[in-house]
Amino acid sequence: MTSGRPEDRDRRITSHLLADLSEEARAIWESTAPPDPSRRRRSLHDTVHARLSGVNRSLRTTKGGLPVHAGACLLPGGPGFLVAGRTGSGKSSLSALLATVWGATLVSDDTVWLGAAGAAGIGAPLALRPGSPLWERARALWHADDSARLLARTVDLEAPPVALAARVDRLLFPTYQPGTAQLACLPAAEAFGRLAGSVLRRCGERDMMDLAEVVGRCPAAAIAYPDAEASLRLISEWLEATPAAVPVEVQHLDTSMLRAAGLGLEVRGVRFDDDVVLWRPQLGRMLHLRGWLGGSLCHTPAWEELAASGFVGQQEERSDA
């Protein structure tokens, strides 16, 4: 696949890498002008990845579901994982490991659209960085030593073909780092904050409640892992320790309750059992209140933080002064 003229080789590689693209993604890809080969300074893989990123950005406002910076995959017989995190957190490597070692069907390693039925993708290839446990295997396929990222289809890495959608049963928030491997189960309120922070567009109130429903039914964990073996061992232990999900009660806090607490007009909130998460869309910030069951928050330990963060209504702030 790497023989012949460079232009022909690049076309063959690109065609192969894009073989799984969904129709909507392919239409956007074909409508964008390819870079001028004479001016290309990046490797083929970096160029294709950058162009696919543009496809993802275009679909954020048109594709159904909430775009989330996450990977998603489904183990044979379940469960389905949503692997969310910042760039460089290790979500691509972890998603790829679940596919290549455990035979999970991959939906995406970078962007998914989250909806009631689960997570949807666009059929894009894996994008691996140097240091990934699968980097050398991917590089051997393409001989692309000058890439900042290497792209590979899952079938090339001896994993099941990419799927365009899968259900979500578990939430994982990875950190790829040297040191001791650790996995910590997350309370629903913390998982909600992390997942909301991974959404790739501004969320409306309905979007936030949809996220809350996902969090309420899915066990969540944060995993810090230094290598492939440690990550899979921790996930296996987690699955054995929590074989069945225990749904968390999710309650949307109505405006009358929030006003009675002394909160500002733009504040919204959701309760997970006894934990409450508040947010104000204009601020783009969340606050977590533990054990608040209702009533005024004035003179509580949380009041000063609420006031400093702009969550307190003007009238209540004046009366408190």
Side-chain angles (χ1 to χ4, degrees):
M1 190 174 289
T2 58
S3 60
R5 293 191 307 166
E7 296 83 0
D8 294 337
R9 177 204 63 195
D10 286 0
R11 277 194 292 269
R12 288 196 297 270
I13 292 176
T14 301
S15 177
H16 175 80
L17 291 173
L18 301 181
D20 299 320
L21 273 190
S22 65
E23 291 184 9
E24 56 189 346
R26 187 172 296 280
I28 295 175
W29 171 276
E30 293 175 351
S31 69
T32 59
D36 183 348
S38 64
R39 297 184 178 182
R40 194 179 75 201
R41 297 180 180 177
R42 292 182 290 192
S43 74
L44 172 66
H45 286 248
D46 294 336
T47 301
V48 172
H49 181 267
R51 197 170 164 193
L52 281 172
S53 296
V55 173
N56 272 321
R57 287 192 296 272
S58 296
L59 286 170
R60 287 175 193 171
T61 57
T62 59
K63 185 175 174 62
L66 196 60
V68 180
H69 198 193
C73 57
L74 178 66
L75 290 181
F81 289 92
L82 186 75
V83 186
R86 300 186 302 272
T87 298
S89 63
K91 61 183 178 298
S92 291
S93 292
L94 192 55
S95 300
L97 284 170
L98 291 170
T100 56
V101 180
W102 284 1
T105 300
L106 188 72
V107 172
S108 175
D109 71 316
D110 185 73
T111 304
V112 298
W113 281 260
L114 196 58
I122 64 169
L126 281 162
L128 304 172
R129 292 171 176 267
S132 166
L134 298 173
W135 175 265
E136 292 301 328
R137 194 187 307 183
R139 186 168 65 174
L141 289 168
W142 306 114
H143 308 288
D145 295 330
D146 58 341
S147 292
R149 298 187 191 222
L150 286 175
L151 305 183
R153 292 174 65 198
T154 52
V155 292
D156 296 328
L157 300 175
E158 301 177 358
V162 165
L164 293 180
R167 72 175 192 267
V168 174
D169 305 301
R170 302 259 176 166
L171 305 176
L172 270 174
F173 300 94
T175 303
Y176 185 64
Q177 63 183 28
T180 304
Q182 296 179 327
L183 184 144
C185 295
L186 297 177
E190 184 174 347
F192 177 70
R194 292 188 182 219
L195 186 57
S198 297
V199 176
L200 294 170
R201 66 169 170 80
R202 185 172 178 176
C203 288
E205 189 169 357
R206 183 65 259 170
D207 295 328
M208 297 296 274
M209 289 309 302
D210 289 344
L211 287 180
E213 293 295 334
V214 172
V215 170
R217 62 177 173 79
C218 294
I223 179 172
Y225 68 101
D227 54 59
E229 182 179 353
S231 67
L232 296 179
R233 173 178 55 80
L234 288 174
I235 295 171
S236 179
E237 292 172 354
W238 179 44
L239 293 176
E240 291 177 3
T242 57
V246 179
V248 174
E249 182 181 356
V250 179
Q251 176 191 0
H252 177 244
L253 302 184
D254 61 40
T255 54
S256 61
M257 181 179 184
L258 295 171
R259 298 299 83 75
L263 300 174
L265 295 175
E266 302 300 324
V267 176
R268 301 292 181 266
V270 62
R271 182 191 305 282
F272 299 96
D273 288 342
D274 292 337
D275 286 348
V276 168
V277 178
L278 303 174
W279 69 91
R280 186 174 175 183
Q282 292 86 342
L283 294 176
R285 184 181 177 189
M286 294 184 171
L287 285 178
H288 181 192
L289 300 180
R290 292 178 174 85
W292 177 58
L293 300 178
S296 175
L297 286 164
C298 185
H299 303 302
T300 67
W303 183 257
E304 185 175 339
E305 183 180 4
L306 287 164
S309 302
F311 280 75
V312 174
Q314 292 182 353
Q315 181 178 353
E316 290 76 10
E317 193 169 13
R318 286 196 299 270
S319 63
D320 183 57

